[in-house]
């Protein structure tokens, strides 16, 4: 039952957006989305081409694969090659270049790296092969973190001792706050991510309105939802209002999913975390609590914190902050393409550079 | 990565469900939506139901659209 929006008059939404922007014609407006799925929808639906000249929709650090530091990949690679573990992960991570290697390279060298749709599949393999250590890569925002938490609880309760997690989960709110506090970045409003918001609730963004005096609207993932969100943001700006609104009310509540928040709190504790491109951000990561130390790869293996690294010439850091368009990077569509990515933003389907390459390459690369 | 799909719960056994997603039967863990019942519609992400959604989602979306349209027009007239 996907949200079908056939009754919604998108032409009217675009017209309203233009009328609202005309009222602010002397003012360039920059709206940031922080969700890889929004990034792809904005490109695939042609939303960018419908926006008035003074309204820019920029992509922030919303792709979890893109913001996972390069050193994390090398740590996972070491586990597969030096400790004879089977690394299991969500698909996009396999091709991400680390500092020295990628998990795809590890697989070519004979290392055990598998892709799973769900962490439940990794648990099942751990049960079927009790003598094989399984290391699941815990990546993603609050949408994915409850699944990892549940798996750790289940492994502990059922005594599945060969199931281990290498955790790099991220929390979106501290990253949004870091962007708002960065004087080099000017953001007029946020279009907040739909499915992270299902977990954390629309109320989690209140600080954007109350402390930073910017509008924020939660939106789902089709073009109509994003258009409705932008109309609400512009309506606020024209009216001189700042508040958090939610056009995805059919799925996102004010409080979010309390059960999911509870399980995250039971298993993880907020911690400083390194974001590729953004550096270290306090409270922006999730560490596994000591009660689950026997299942925590960072406790079992001598890994240390993952290093951050950007390849020479790669401008993913600026892309992730919305400071430049992918086409402004000299590597874009030249040395860095989806088939031979240099930077993380070109790897994931939801990365800004990948989406830009897929939908605008001809114009951008010329 | 945060992509999710909606489907209808057709079987439920403890915290494990079978969800019909456009004709495909998908296994899901329902630990995050403990109140779920057979015939509910849920939002699925990476094998977990993360929200129970409304059957009238389509109509609700339209109501929100009309509300946004009305508010924007009011602001433009001020």
């Amino acid at each position: 039952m996907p949200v079908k929006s056939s009754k919604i008059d998108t032409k009217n939404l675009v017209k309203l957006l233009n009328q609202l922007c005309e009222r602010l014609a002397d003012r360039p407006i920059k709206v940031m989305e922080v969700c890889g799925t929004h990034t792809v929808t904005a490109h695939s639906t042609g939303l960018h081409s419908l926006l008035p000249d003074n309204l820019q929709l920029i992509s922030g650090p919303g792709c979890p694969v893109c913001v996972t530091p390069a050193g994390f990949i090398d740590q996972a690679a070491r586990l597969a090659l030096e400790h004879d573990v089977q690394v299991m992960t969500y698909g996009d991570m396999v091709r991400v270049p680390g500092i020295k290697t990628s998990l795809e390279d590890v697989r070519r060298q004979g290392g055990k790296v598998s892709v799973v749709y769900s962490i439940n599949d990794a648990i099942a393999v751990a049960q079927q092969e009790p003598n094989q250590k399984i290391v699941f890569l815990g990546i993603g925002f609050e949408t994915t973190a409850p699944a990892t938490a549940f798996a750790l609880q289940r492994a502990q309760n059922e005594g599945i001792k060969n199931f281990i997690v290498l955790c790099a989960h991220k929390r979106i709110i501290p990253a949004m706050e870091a962007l708002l506090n960065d004087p080099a970045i000017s953001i007029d409003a946020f279009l907040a991510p739909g499915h992270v918001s299902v977990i954390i609730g629309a109320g989690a963004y209140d600080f954007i309105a109350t402390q930073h005096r910017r509008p924020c609207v939660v939106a789902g993932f089709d073009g109509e939802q994003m258009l409705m969100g932008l109309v609400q943001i512009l309506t606020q700006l024209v009216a001189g209002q700042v508040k958090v609104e939610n056009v995805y009310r059919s799925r996102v509540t004010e409080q979010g999913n309390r059960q999911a928040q509870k399980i995250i709190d039971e298993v993880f504790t907020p911690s400083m975390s390194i974001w590729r491109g953004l550096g270290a951000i306090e409270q922006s990561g999730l560490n596994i609590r000591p009660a689950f130390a026997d299942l925590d790869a960072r406790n079992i293996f001598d890994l240390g914190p993952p290093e951050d690294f950007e390849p020479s010439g790669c401008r993913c850091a600026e892309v992730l902050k919305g400071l430049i368009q992918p086409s402004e990077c000299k590597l874009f569509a030249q040395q860095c393409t989806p088939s031979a990515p240099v930077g993380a933003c070109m790897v994931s389907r939801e990365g800004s550079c990948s989406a830009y390459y897929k939908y605008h390459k001809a114009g951008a690369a010329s | 990565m945060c992509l999710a799909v909606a489907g209808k719960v057709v079987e439920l056994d403890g915290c494990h469900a079978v969800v019909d997603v456009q004709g495909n039967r998908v296994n899901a863990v329902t630990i995050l939506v403990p109140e779920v019942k057979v015939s509910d519609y849920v939002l699925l992400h990476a094998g977990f139901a993360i929200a129970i959604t409304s059957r009238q989602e389509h109509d609700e979306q339209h109501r929100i659209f009309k509300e946004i349209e009305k508010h924007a027009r009011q602001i433009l007239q001020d």
Side-chain angles (χ1 to χ4, degrees):
Chain A
M1 195 186 63
V3 178
K4 298 222 179 286
S5 311
S6 56
K7 284 187 192 172
I8 290 174
D9 184 347
T10 47
K11 279 186 188 168
N12 206 11
L13 281 171
V14 173
K15 192 174 159 191
L16 280 171
L17 199 59
N18 275 283
Q19 287 172 337
L20 290 161
C21 280
E22 268 175 34
R23 292 288 184 91
L24 300 163
D26 55 342
R27 182 181 161 193
I29 307 294
K30 213 180 249 194
V31 176
M32 178 178 271
E33 45 82 4
V34 285
C35 172
T37 314
H38 275 164
T39 304
V40 172
T41 301
H43 286 288
S44 65
T45 58
L47 180 59
H48 287 289
S49 66
L50 298 173
L51 302 183
D53 289 343
N54 60 327
L55 174 59
Q56 194 185 0
L57 178 63
I58 54 173
S59 298
C63 161
V65 171
C66 305
V67 298
T68 301
F72 179 83
I73 307 296
D74 290 65
Q75 291 183 334
R78 267 178 53 204
L79 292 180
L81 291 173
E82 298 172 17
H83 296 273
D84 191 33
V85 307
Q86 179 162 357
V87 170
M88 305 195 91
T89 180
Y90 298 123
D92 280 350
M93 286 304 284
V94 173
R95 295 182 57 239
V96 179
I99 300 172
K100 295 176 187 160
T101 187
S102 71
L103 293 173
E104 196 171 44
D105 288 336
V106 168
R107 205 146 58 176
R108 282 193 205 105
Q109 293 168 51
K112 296 173 192 164
V113 177
S114 310
V115 171
V116 288
Y117 160 69
S118 169
I119 197 167
N120 300 324
D121 302 332
I123 286 262
V125 173
Q127 286 178 307
Q128 287 157 16
E129 301 177 33
N131 296 321
Q132 171 67 63
K133 279 197 175 85
I134 303 294
V135 172
F136 182 80
L137 305 186
I139 58 156
F141 297 113
E142 287 90 340
T143 330
T144 314
T148 309
F150 170 73
L152 283 166
Q153 283 187 340
R154 189 178 153 203
Q156 189 176 68
N157 293 340
E158 296 180 20
I160 308 170
K161 293 181 177 163
N162 58 326
F163 177 79
I164 298 160
V165 171
L166 179 60
C167 188
H169 279 300
K170 302 267 190 264
R171 302 170 69 224
I172 198 70
I173 294 293
M176 292 170 85
E177 188 144 35
L179 290 167
L180 286 164
N181 288 330
D182 186 335
I185 304 168
S186 64
I187 301 164
D188 295 290
F190 275 109
L191 200 61
H195 294 152
V196 166
S197 304
V198 167
I199 305 297
I200 66 175
Y205 305 102
D206 284 347
F207 76 100
I208 295 174
T210 56
Q211 294 171 35
H212 295 277
R213 311 297 302 159
R214 263 96 155 182
C216 177
V217 177
V218 178
F221 295 118
D222 59 21
E224 289 92 345
Q225 277 275 320
M226 291 184 74
L227 261 176
M228 287 197 288
L230 289 172
V231 168
Q232 280 208 305
I233 285 170
L234 267 295
T235 303
Q236 285 192 41
L237 291 172
V238 170
Q241 297 168 329
V242 281
K243 53 187 173 180
V244 176
E245 294 183 287
N246 178 9
V247 298
Y248 205 37
R249 292 197 288 269
S250 57
R251 295 176 177 180
V252 175
T253 62
E254 184 68 10
Q255 298 80 21
N257 184 325
R258 289 273 172 82
Q259 187 67 22
Q261 293 165 17
K262 181 170 170 276
I263 197 170
I264 289 174
D265 286 346
E266 285 169 357
V267 174
F268 299 114
T269 181
S271 63
M272 186 278 286
S273 183
I274 296 166
W275 293 56
R276 197 167 191 163
L278 303 184
I281 303 174
E282 287 298 334
Q283 302 287 302
S284 69
L286 291 170
N287 277 359
I288 296 170
R289 287 190 182 275
F292 298 89
D294 291 350
L295 307 172
D296 182 354
R298 297 205 178 282
N299 180 58
I300 297 166
F301 305 101
D302 182 22
L303 295 171
E307 286 177 62
D308 196 12
F309 168 81
E310 286 304 333
S312 176
C314 173
R315 297 181 72 185
C316 274
E318 292 158 275
V319 171
L320 286 166
K321 290 179 182 173
L323 291 171
I324 64 164
Q325 291 284 356
S327 57
E328 292 175 65
C329 174
K330 284 184 180 169
L331 304 185
F332 179 79
Q334 303 296 323
Q335 292 99 317
C336 185
T337 62
S339 57
V342 176
C345 297
M346 187 60 92
V347 177
S348 168
R349 196 184 67 87
E350 296 188 342
S352 297
C353 296
S354 171
Y356 204 94
Y357 184 95
K358 184 171 180 186
Y359 296 104
H360 306 280
K361 179 190 160 272
S366 59
Chain B
M1 179 168 287
C2 294
L3 204 59
V5 293
K8 184 179 181 180
V9 176
V10 291
E11 290 174 27
L12 189 61
D13 179 10
C15 67
H16 296 275
V18 176
V19 180
D20 183 320
V21 180
Q22 296 184 342
N24 299 303
R25 288 166 63 88
V26 178
N27 292 321
V29 173
T30 60
I31 192 88
L32 305 177
V33 287
E35 69 277 31
V36 75
K37 303 182 297 293
V38 170
S39 295
D40 280 346
Y41 285 86
V42 292
L43 193 60
L44 281 187
H45 170 72
F48 286 74
I50 59 170
I52 298 173
T53 68
S54 161
R55 285 166 197 252
Q56 285 80 37
E57 203 167 26
H58 187 177
D59 294 337
E60 201 169 337
Q61 174 105 328
H62 188 246
R63 272 199 303 279
I64 295 169
F65 163 68
K66 296 306 284 182
E67 192 182 293
I68 290 168
E69 187 184 35
K70 188 179 166 192
H71 184 49
R73 287 201 188 288
Q74 274 171 355
I75 295 297
L76 282 166
Q77 279 168 10
D78 286 346

